[in-house]
Amino acid sequence: MNDTVTLLTRRADFSPASANSDDRTVEVIWSTGAPVRRRDMAGQYIERLSLAPEAVDLSRLRGASVLDAHRQSAVRDVLGSVRSANVDGERGTAVIKFSARPEVEPIWQDVMAGILRHISVGYSVEDWSETTQGSARVLTAVRWTPHEISLVPTPADPGAHIRMETDMTENAHLVRN
């Protein structure tokens, strides 16, 4: 009888795949159009953001601020700026640049270490389309303008994040009983 068991482990590298440490830039996904539960005076609804290129006005996002958790009351809340932004029908992406100010350095280091990974977008909606899905109201932003990108602890859109490497390697270990 063989008393040897093969134990498999996985190691994942969560450092940003798109980071450029010299330029202090990283690529982010700021929206996947994921449904988000919201509430208004009429009750609960599901909000969706159309990512059709004709639905999204990117003119304010290009060059906009990258904020600390949507705070915009002081200059110190600005962590960097949006260098470029795009939508392709499935997701919104951007390249963001972090400030070299000393107080932003710990945040940049946490981004580089894969600790801070979640992104959110601040926006205004110019036109909604309302439908129902089962018994739920669905409001889809069909003409809207993103204004800023924020690093956040918990994003409303679970797919909004800093582009990370997820190259997982398997390691086999023999364990004898």
Side-chain angles (χ1 to χ4, degrees), residues 73-142:
S73 60
V75 171
R76 70 179 165 273
D77 299 327
V78 177
L79 305 176
S81 62
V82 178
R83 292 297 180 203
S84 64
N86 294 292
V87 291
D88 66 6
E90 294 182 20
R91 69 184 58 88
T93 59
V95 173
I96 62 174
K97 180 178 178 74
F98 284 83
S99 170
R101 293 189 332 260
E103 63 271 21
V104 176
E105 186 60 25
I107 294 168
W108 171 246
Q109 291 304 317
D110 280 351
V111 166
M112 293 298 288
I115 295 166
L116 294 176
R117 303 188 310 234
H118 303 295
I119 299 295
S120 183
V121 63
Y123 56 93
S124 60
V125 177
E126 290 79 42
D127 194 18
W128 294 99
S129 169
E130 186 170 344
T131 59
T132 57
Q133 184 176 342
S135 62
R137 273 190 320 143
V138 178
L139 294 177
T140 303
V142 293

Side-chain angles (χ1 to χ4, degrees), residues 11-17 111-115 117 164-166 168:
R11 183 177 64 85
D13 182 8
F14 289 112
S15 61
V111 166
M112 293 298 288
I115 295 166
R117 303 188 310 234
M164 309 300 272
E165 290 181 359
T166 55
M168 299 191 59

